[in-house]
Amino acid sequence: MAEYREANVDTTYVERRSNTGLVIGGVVLAILIVVGLLFATGFWSANVKGGALPTVNVSAKSGALPDVAVHSKEVVVGTSKQTVTVPKVETKKTSIDVPTIGVKDDNKQ
């Protein structure tokens, strides 16, 4: 919001500005960065051979989205048995002498 006055007039002008365009631009930029990283890392690939576009037959029933075939990599997550060295921590009770701090008044016992 910006507020300003003209020099010779007692009128105050208030100008309101929104950041909607900046937010939308930031979201679009973030989406482009993610898509670029997916192509750069090989999770998505664009195999372009020759100079012709492929023939695509798209048909959809009303109220349904068309089927899309995306060729992407598969991330496989699992577990395997391995032997590793793990430190063992033990606790046990032991009697020890602990230092104490006190104040002794010579006049009172």
Side-chain angles (χ1 to χ4, degrees), residues 3-82:
E3 182 176 320
Y4 59 93
R5 295 183 183 187
E6 290 185 5
N8 298 334
V9 184
D10 291 336
T11 306
T12 302
Y13 296 98
V14 178
E15 185 177 324
R16 296 181 184 209
R17 297 179 184 174
S18 70
N19 293 330
T20 307
L22 186 61
V23 171
I24 291 173
V27 170
V28 169
L29 181 63
I31 290 171
L32 289 174
I33 289 172
V34 168
V35 169
L37 286 173
L38 288 174
F39 275 108
T41 57
F43 278 103
W44 283 357
S45 62
N47 294 333
V48 180
K49 297 177 183 175
L53 294 174
T55 304
V56 179
N57 183 13
V58 177
S59 62
K61 296 178 183 176
S62 60
L65 295 174
D67 292 332
V68 177
V70 176
H71 304 288
S72 66
K73 303 286 182 181
E74 181 180 354
V75 177
V76 179
V77 179
T79 59
S80 63
K81 297 269 185 188
Q82 297 289 327

Side-chain angles (χ1 to χ4, degrees), residues 90-103:
E90 294 183 15
T91 60
K92 61 181 181 176
K93 292 187 177 185
T94 305
S95 295
I96 60 170
D97 291 331
V98 179
T100 58
I101 299 175
V103 176

